[in-house]
Amino acid sequence: MDEKWVLYSNVRRRRSWYSKGQEPKSSSKEQLLKKKVMISVGWDCPDKNECTGNPCGAQGACNNTPGSYTCVCNAGYVYSGTTCVDKNECTGNPCGAQGACTNTQGSYTCTCNGGFELSGTTCVDTNECTGNPCGPQGACTNTPGSYTCACIAGIEEDAIAIFPQ
């Protein structure tokens, strides 16, 4: 940018025009034209677009702000220093005590232990007594992750019939 500076000495009634970094050159009062001069000083400092090059990464959207930028990360991602990175959703074990959490890009999966099933985002006990696995002469009792059978009074226990494979 071509900058011009003016130095005016009211005592000496002289003005000097010079470029930044140069010594002022004086003009005598006689050399100056008698005119009213309006000097307007303004600064044109356009905002730099800090979003150029997408500093938020592929998993975020950059919003340019005056002198800076903000990142809005996609679901499952968090802003960490300079970009959006995968959030470890398994922190705090969202699958519950009866499940194993596996972090994936932007999400997670739950693998439930035997006898448990996924309900929403948590592993809950499966009611194995649904469908009466103990047969018509047995009484099923659901237990965490399993079940037990007991014969009703007067019926002899038959392990094959009570616990079908």
Side-chain angles (χ1 to χ4, degrees), residues 26-46:
S26 297
S27 299
S28 67
K29 183 177 178 185
E30 294 78 31
Q31 295 172 328
L32 300 176
L33 298 174
K34 294 183 178 181
K35 290 185 179 180
K36 290 186 177 182
V37 178
M38 183 177 99
I39 298 176
S40 174
V41 178
W43 297 101
D44 182 19
C45 297

